[in-house]
Amino acid sequence: TFYSNICVCCVTGIDHEYTVSQGRKERIMMAGMKSGIKSSIIFGLILSLGLTLSGGMQVKAADDKKADKKATNEKTVTLRISNWEEYLDEGDWDEEDTIDLESGDIIGENSMVEDFEDWYYETYGIHVKVEYSTYGTNEDLYNMLTLGDTYDLICPSEYKIMKMKKEGTLEPLSDNFFDTSDPENYYINGVSPYIKSVYDNSKVDGESWSKYAAGYMWGLTGIVYNPEEVTREEASSWKILDDPKYKSQITIKDNVRDSYFAALGALKSDLLTSDAFKNDPNYHDNLEKEMNDASPETIAEVQEYLQDVKKNAFSFESDSGKADMITGKVVANLQWSGDGVYTLDQADEDDFPLEFAVPEEATNIYFDGWVMLKSGVHDDAAKQQAAEAFINFTSRPDNVIRNMNYVGYTSVIAGGNDPRIFEYADWCYGAEDDETDVTPYDLSYFFSGEGTEGEYVIHAPTDQVERQLFAQYPDQDAISRSSIMLNFDDTQNQEINQMWISVRCYDVRDIPIWVWVLAGTGVLLLVGLMIRKKVRQRGNL
């Protein structure tokens, strides 16, 4: 949702100024001729010469003004953007990659950055140069900022957005950005009603996310699994992670936040799946509270649970889980939905169908969103305008489709009155005309909002309901048990990070008994030697 109205300067044309000076000159010459032929001729010649010079000076002044105006318009705004690796379409598509929708073909010929630079000049008459860089994790980005790197626009995940908002480093979006009457404001006119509601209702220090952040991609966490080895019921619980039935056949994320969330889901499984909990009028508030429990007692329980998971798992991983699933090394993998789509797509190429499940206890709904940094755009209207325009440009439906096709994740943009994003979803997952095993899949909650059931329905092959379509656009049932993971305070972060170090690096329970006996014997011998030494020293005195 980032657009501001562009101030276009008025241009006073040289032709207009030149015409005025010539008319003035002619009127004076005619007045001189009424005084007499000879005198008027002489006088007129003198005036003509003088006014010609004067006119020339005015023309020169107009030329200078035009040159100044041109220099102003030709000034280049430098926009520094940092984003996740491989998170923006780089173009250079082949013809066979063309997405042929009912509303028209879409193809990425140039990089998104190049297209934005051209579009910005064509739309606003101002040159912009994007300095685009990438990072691997939220922590990498935060460290870069801490070390002094400066950017105007970045795309962190929700918990880092919350952290930076608390630290006061974010610049609010302009009022113009939210102007729905501006046709160039693609974000506010096209963001999913569901996503907008989440952003509006999620607050940091009393202010909603919407004031500072515009969503980019989103998804849920879940389990990618091999249906030949794992039942859907088993994959629909976080408890599968420490199930001894699948020892050395499961991978879990090698980061504290995703693993902590999954552990909470497993530890609180009975509570979270109970009818009393699910039917409580304050279910969503209670769910968020339980899934952000960072009490010392809970942290200790999570550490013990994750140490058991470590023994049971094939590995903790950041990216290798996709390949391990595709090659059959493991049968289940904790995964982000976007990477889940990629994993299922790659497995299909090898005729090795996998599925995606969202645990019944709860799922983490995550977001990556665009935010502006005060250190970059503060008090610089040109930079802020360009930054908000970049958000809007990437929110234009054709560009949304390009980025989704390249990245594999799901955009927060539904398209508003533009049908192409829904057409793209149907293009990807809709059944062929001659297919008979078809199931209606209602995505109205995402495309048109709550209470609009039946407006946006994909008639998909039945198996897609548990596969890529479900991972790309989770159904409303899965969404209903989703929770945001909030940013922990400094004390909680310190305790949770220490817990994670204990899990990943050292577990005293893994030390064999004979090592404890040997270590104890060594300590006793050392103490005995120290006592003996002191006795001797006293004897010598």
Side-chain angles (χ1 to χ4, degrees):
T1 323
F2 309 130
Y3 269 100
S4 59
N5 292 334
I6 308 303
C7 177
V8 180
C9 299
C10 297
V11 178
T12 303
I14 289 178
D15 289 344
H16 174 66
E17 293 198 23
Y18 185 77
T19 301
V20 171
S21 64
Q22 288 290 81
R24 178 169 174 258
K25 178 177 67 176
E26 290 170 359
R27 287 195 299 272
I28 295 175
M29 287 177 65
M30 290 178 66
M33 290 175 67
K34 293 180 181 179
S35 300
I37 297 175
K38 184 175 180 179
S39 60
S40 65
I41 292 174
I42 294 172
F43 187 63
L45 289 171
I46 293 172
L47 284 177
S48 178
L49 177 62
L51 288 173
T52 298
L53 293 174
S54 175
M57 291 175 65
Q58 291 190 45
V59 171
K60 184 177 184 302
D63 283 337
D64 290 342
K65 189 172 183 179
K66 181 179 179 181
D68 290 342
K69 178 60 184 173
K70 183 177 180 181
T72 300
N73 280 347
E74 293 300 319
K75 179 182 178 181
T76 299
V77 176
T78 299
L79 184 64
R80 296 161 299 183
I81 300 175
S82 193
N83 193 10
W84 294 83
E85 295 170 353
E86 299 182 343
Y87 221 38
L88 197 72
D89 181 36
E90 297 180 355
D92 198 25
W93 294 18
D94 294 327
E95 283 293 329
E96 56 265 27
D97 296 327
T98 301
I99 299 171
D100 51 339
L101 304 179
E102 183 178 337
S103 297
D105 292 351
I106 294 176
I107 186 170
E109 297 178 351
N110 306 311
S111 73
M112 191 69 65
V113 168
E114 290 177 289
D115 284 345
F116 167 71
E117 291 173 340
D118 293 340
W119 171 83
Y120 192 77
Y121 183 72
E122 292 170 1
T123 304
Y124 302 116
I126 300 172
H127 286 290
V128 63
K129 175 62 179 175
V130 175
E131 294 181 354
Y132 188 82
S133 60
T134 62
Y135 52 87
T137 68
N138 284 292
E139 286 62 41
D140 290 343
L141 170 65
Y142 192 78
N143 290 337
M144 288 157 54
L145 297 175
T146 303
L147 293 172
D149 289 0
T150 55
Y151 301 100
D152 304 306
L153 186 66
I154 57 176
C155 190
S157 299
E158 72 291 333
Y159 71 97
K160 282 299 179 187
I161 292 174
M162 288 185 273
K163 180 178 178 63
M164 288 188 283
K165 168 62 178 68
K166 280 185 171 291
E167 294 172 345
T169 60
L170 302 183
E171 183 75 9
L173 296 160
S174 70
D175 291 340
N176 289 331
F177 183 74
F178 300 100
D179 181 6
T180 55
S181 67
D182 187 342
E184 307 295 343
N185 282 359
Y186 296 104
Y187 181 88
I188 196 62
N189 287 314
V191 64
S192 161
Y194 167 71
I195 302 296
K196 185 177 185 300
S197 175
V198 173
Y199 270 56
D200 288 345
N201 294 324
S202 299
K203 299 182 184 296
V204 179
D205 294 335
E207 294 184 298
S208 70
W209 291 3
S210 299
K211 185 175 180 179
Y212 292 86
Y216 182 53
M217 299 288 176
W218 74 286
L220 303 178
T221 53
I223 301 291
V224 174
Y225 67 100
N226 181 349
E228 295 295 323
E229 303 290 340
V230 180
T231 69
R232 190 164 187 82
E233 181 180 2
E234 291 171 322
S236 297
S237 173
W238 292 117
K239 292 190 292 185
I240 191 175
L241 297 174
D242 71 333
D243 188 338
K245 177 181 177 182
Y246 299 111
K247 184 174 177 60
S248 298
Q249 298 181 77
I250 295 175
T251 58
I252 186 171
K253 284 300 169 197
D254 194 10
N255 72 72
V256 64
R257 288 186 64 84
D258 289 306
S259 295
Y260 190 85
F261 188 96
L264 287 175
L267 289 168
K268 298 173 181 283
S269 179
D270 291 343
L271 169 67
L272 298 175
T273 58
S274 67
D275 290 338
F277 186 85
K278 292 191 296 183
N279 295 329
D280 190 296
N282 298 315
Y283 169 73
H284 286 101
D285 291 338
N286 294 339
L287 182 65
E288 185 173 288
K289 179 180 178 181
E290 295 295 340
M291 299 313 295
N292 286 279
D293 182 358
S295 64
E297 298 79 14
T298 299
I299 293 173
E301 290 178 14
V302 167
Q303 176 175 331
E304 184 174 357
Y305 176 79
L306 289 178
Q307 284 169 334
D308 289 338
V309 170
K310 180 181 178 181
K311 293 179 179 179
N312 198 61
F314 176 76
S315 71
F316 283 75
E317 57 83 28
S318 295
D319 195 54
S320 62
K322 299 192 292 290
D324 291 337
M325 284 299 306
I326 296 166
T327 58
K329 286 184 180 179
V330 297
V331 299
N333 167 227
L334 191 166
Q335 195 56 269
W336 306 296
S337 54
D339 279 359
V341 173
Y342 172 85
T343 305
L344 270 61
D345 283 345
Q346 294 300 305
D348 281 349
E349 293 184 6
D350 295 331
D351 195 24
F352 184 55
L354 302 175
E355 294 183 0
F356 183 80
V358 172
E360 291 294 328
E361 296 93 354
T363 177
N364 176 211
I365 183 170
Y366 59 84
F367 299 94
D368 296 321
W370 297 109
V371 293
M372 298 181 295
L373 293 171
K374 283 185 177 179
S375 58
V377 304
H378 190 55
D379 292 331
D380 191 329
K383 278 184 177 291
Q384 179 157 352
Q385 174 182 291
E388 293 181 346
F390 185 84
I391 299 167
N392 277 313
F393 184 72
T394 56
S395 300
R396 198 175 74 185
D398 57 329
N399 292 330
V400 167
I401 293 168
R402 284 177 55 186
N403 284 329
M404 287 178 62
N405 184 70
Y406 178 76
V407 174
Y409 279 74
T410 308
S411 172
V412 304
I413 303 298
N417 294 326
D418 192 309
R420 286 178 290 180
I421 297 175
F422 180 73
E423 286 181 13
Y424 175 65
D426 191 54
W427 183 82
C428 290
Y429 303 117
E432 298 294 336
D433 292 338
D434 58 352
E435 290 190 63
T436 57
D437 190 9
V438 174
T439 298
Y441 195 82
D442 196 340
L443 291 176
S444 300
Y445 82 90
F446 180 83
F447 283 95
S448 56
E450 192 173 344
T452 60
E453 290 78 7
E455 291 189 6
Y456 288 86
V457 177
I458 293 175
H459 295 277
T462 298
D463 68 344
Q464 270 297 334
V465 175
E466 297 179 348
R467 305 187 70 245
Q468 285 95 325
L469 174 56
F470 179 65
Q472 186 94 65
Y473 287 104
D475 62 22
Q476 200 158 9
D477 180 60
I479 289 293
S480 69
R481 56 183 184 273
S482 65
S483 173
I484 294 170
M485 195 171 191
L486 303 176
N487 181 55
F488 299 124
D489 63 33
D490 291 341
T491 300
Q492 292 169 331
N493 272 324
Q494 183 177 358
E495 293 174 350
I496 290 174
N497 287 335
Q498 183 58 54
M499 175 276 296
W500 185 243
I501 291 172
S502 298
V503 170
R504 294 296 289 117
C505 302
Y506 188 70
D507 184 357
V508 296
R509 299 179 307 171
D510 292 334
I511 300 176
I513 295 296
W514 66 267
V515 174
W516 286 113
V517 173
L518 185 61
T521 302
V523 169
L524 291 175
L525 288 173
L526 181 61
V527 171
L529 289 173
M530 292 176 63
I531 293 174
R532 183 178 180 184
K533 182 178 180 181
K534 286 184 177 182
V535 170
R536 286 180 176 179
Q537 287 176 343
R538 289 178 181 176
N540 292 334
L541 292 176

